[in-house]
Amino acid sequence: MSDVSLSSFRAEPRILRLDGADNVVVAVDAIQPGDRTSGVLACDRIPRGHKMALRRISAGEPLIKFGQPIGVASADIAPGEWVHVHNVSATTLPHGDFDAATLAVDQPAFGVPSTFQGYRRSDGRTGTRNYIGILTSVNCSASVARFAAEAIERSGLLDSYRNIDGIVPIVHGTGCGLAERGEGYEVLRRTQWGYACHPNFAAVVMVGLGCEVLQIARMKKECGVEESDGFRTLTIQETGGTRRTVDQISGTIREMLPRAASARRETRPASELMLGLQCGGSDGYSALTANPALGFASDLLVRDGGTSILSETPEIYGAEHLLVRRASPRVGDRLMERLRWWEGYTARNGAEMNNNPSPGNKAGGLTTILEKSLGAVAKSGQAVLQAVYEYAEPVRSHGLVFMDTPGFDPVSATGQVAGGANLICFTTGRGSVFGCKPVPSLKLATNSEMYHRMTDDMDINCGEILEGVSLEAKGREIFDALLRVASGERTKSERLGYGDAEFVPWQIGAVM
Amino acid sequence: MSDVSLSSFRAEPRILRLDGADNVVVAVDAIQPGDRTSGVLACDRIPRGHKMALRRISAGEPLIKFGQPIGVASADIAPGEWVHVHNVSATTLPHGDFDAATLAVDQPAFGVPSTFQGYRRSDGRTGTRNYIGILTSVNCSASVARFAAEAIERSGLLDSYRNIDGIVPIVHGTGCGLAERGEGYEVLRRTQWGYACHPNFAAVVMVGLGCEVLQIARMKKECGVEESDGFRTLTIQETGGTRRTVDQISGTIREMLPRAASARRETRPASELMLGLQCGGSDGYSALTANPALGFASDLLVRDGGTSILSETPEIYGAEHLLVRRASPRVGDRLMERLRWWEGYTARNGAEMNNNPSPGNKAGGLTTILEKSLGAVAKSGQAVLQAVYEYAEPVRSHGLVFMDTPGFDPVSATGQVAGGANLICFTTGRGSVFGCKPVPSLKLATNSEMYHRMTDDMDINCGEILEGVSLEAKGREIFDALLRVASGERTKSERLGYGDAEFVPWQIGAVM
Ligand SMILES: [Ca+2]
Ligand SMILES: [Ca+2]
Ligand SMILES: [Ca+2]
Ligand SMILES: [Ca+2]
Ligand SMILES: [Ca+2]
């Protein structure tokens, strides 16, 4: 048999065309030269997740994917040619119509809103878990917090309180050696305070060393709180060293436990859910499967009156016009203001906002930052953007909101949780093993191969979208899983025990 | 009885005069108006650790402590008056003779150099402990490293290997979301590499997620190393998720254990000790007791050919002339270069170098940054300054060296350990509970009250210097303890289990 006849036996490789206006398609399977798919004869090898031209594209003409320009042809491109960095320039494109709120799709409520079983707290918010937190104002008290958590878990005391999900030491590497005022201090204080009053904690003990910059007494004054049955503070220096402090924390938690364990799940509307949207370890499929499926689920949550938080500012850079067009002028201005802040932040630190896509992204088929950002924004569905928050600010709005965070996963998720997120959904292509405490985090695989390889870590396989499952069906599957997890079903990362090392507040400014 | 006669029964309050040239003394006990001490009649209340004028000091005249000017009188000061921020200005003083190497006291070897029992490694360096390390390239692999360490410890496997001090997960909050080149990347890579080849690790496994900025493969290439019996690497994404990675790390360590456990302590010269000098939570006694006693011990180590590392650049700011005068012109220039770098670093981050002394320092009696810095420099004794290193650079010199680090304790100690320190000595007045792995850390209390209050955390009571023990005797006590600890005696922080949360690499630059 000749090679020609062999190739004629190959199944037609699968491709995805994401919008009727697109002039490129994405290869779901690797395409070989001579393969015919959707009526186009491939003239190059196109790796999985990479793009093939559907028709002739002249030099200077825009490449269209998601119905949006993602770059400009830097050479004439023939139908069936591989489209990537060798023949695409990322030259800034006119963003077109920047008018506010012209792009959003209203998500009107319909039918009976969904519900879940949650822990209603005295401040009106609702928890999806019932943990006890040991917070630390500074790295110098991190080990003491962990010793105390271990001592309580070892004591078997929790066996009598099945309703408590565990004791969580929230430790980190900062809290001293920073300026006593300014952005870095404010961000850290907001983060600490957001955790201290998070509805997934039934009770909190905060422990400091005593001489650190982030003084607990000052924080209490600035945040307007006092000691209570559910919130106690102490310092190692006042208490007299490691052993006494561990004993005192253990004793305090022993006193807090009966009340904390008396909390009961009750039926609550989905409007009390606040979902943090995350992506990490993206690949060429992120934008095609998990991100738009999560966007669909996010729209369902918004329709039910819930809150969905898009973040990771560096990863939406280049696609901000898509968000501005879904926002009021005031909200759009707030977003542009944060992007300008980022340009200054990266410049004064000798970095660049457009160091994306990374070599790994490029290997996976992402050609330009705009293409990557369009994929990242897909997580947020099509809802109106209601508000823009700074890192770790308390989120008060319902609907879709944006919180300004770095793209680095633990830092971004920490900001969202501080803001009040009680659920996290994390899309990943390369395979992240992220988990969070006190907030359950679902991981969504963008492709079936990784889902099966890392099945103990992945909650949902969005790779099935490449195998015929519709985005809508997968979006509903995600939304249903969110309600179950909010009601107590444990995620893969919770079963593995993740979350004791993933509290990473955004550290801005000099370490001194 | 009248008040007057009562006061006449008071014991004379103890004071310290640190140098024959000083025009102020330090109150060891609180002084009341009317108290007479060293022939001076106190006219103010002088809190413990604060300063009293010994003679009349006119406005504009320098205040002299440690035989050095620490500030200028901002008003006329009478004998017996309290000297503090209300009558002292920190106005920059002429530093006087800046000629290089005019101030150092040579520490000639004499007698038989001291020895200790250490683990000689194949690279010629010597360990003071015999740990196995699980290093992480990124926060995303932190939990996996901890799960693996816990799994091995739980398995009881180490019971057969009494010679192994433990399995240490070295976890942190960075490794991704940073620029792929530049200062921040270099600092992190040096830190990681310094730990990976630290002589206190018999063997190291390094685990990454796979898609992070700090790529293990790139690091190996840049550091010129390959996999070996004592060094293995893997990523979670290649290995296929959490469970498989934990199993593979456990299996690898199981294979490494027999060889690692075959290491034996042998008699080694003190010249193979490298001591990191630290202070944290300083008080008015730091400069009077623990710091100069540690300086005496440091001089003994230098005399025996060992290495002593002074650090915490922001805390020597203002007293750099004392170090420059103990160095060659080249080394002095290197130090001044780092101080200029710090001025830029803090300025571009909206902070200041001279935000010291802190409110806590002032309450403790420290009036000016120069006074505080003089006390910090006292830890380094009187030896010649041989070299200046950047953060986490491998230290190759013997004698006293300077490593540029922040003052924040865990960050500073992490840099020293990465540089090769196999001992740490940490002075504290307010009471730090710092502990480190894989390097033992001794804590030196500056005052007896705190020593007794935090006795489970403190190794040595330098407060005895206020009760008649000489600096020299305390310095020898510290040096002898260093030799014992280097030989295997466990410090207080080791007995408590510290060191799993205190690895904090200096994070420079934008988090993205
Ligand atoms: Ca646990
Ligand atoms: Ca991310
Ligand atoms: Ca991402
Ligand atoms: Ca320090
Ligand atoms: Ca200090």
Side-chain angles (χ1 to χ4, degrees), chain B residues 279-282 312 315 372 407 409:
Chain B
C279 65
S282 299
E312 308 187 299
E315 299 185 18
K372 184 180 171 183
D409 310 327

Side-chain angles (χ1 to χ4, degrees), chain A residues 279-280 282 312 315:
Chain A
C279 65
S282 300
E312 306 186 302
E315 298 185 19

Side-chain angles (χ1 to χ4, degrees), chain B residues 100-101 324 326-333 384-386:
Chain B
V324 168
R326 287 157 63 177
S328 71
R330 193 186 53 81
V331 169
D333 286 350
V384 174
L385 181 66
Q386 300 289 355

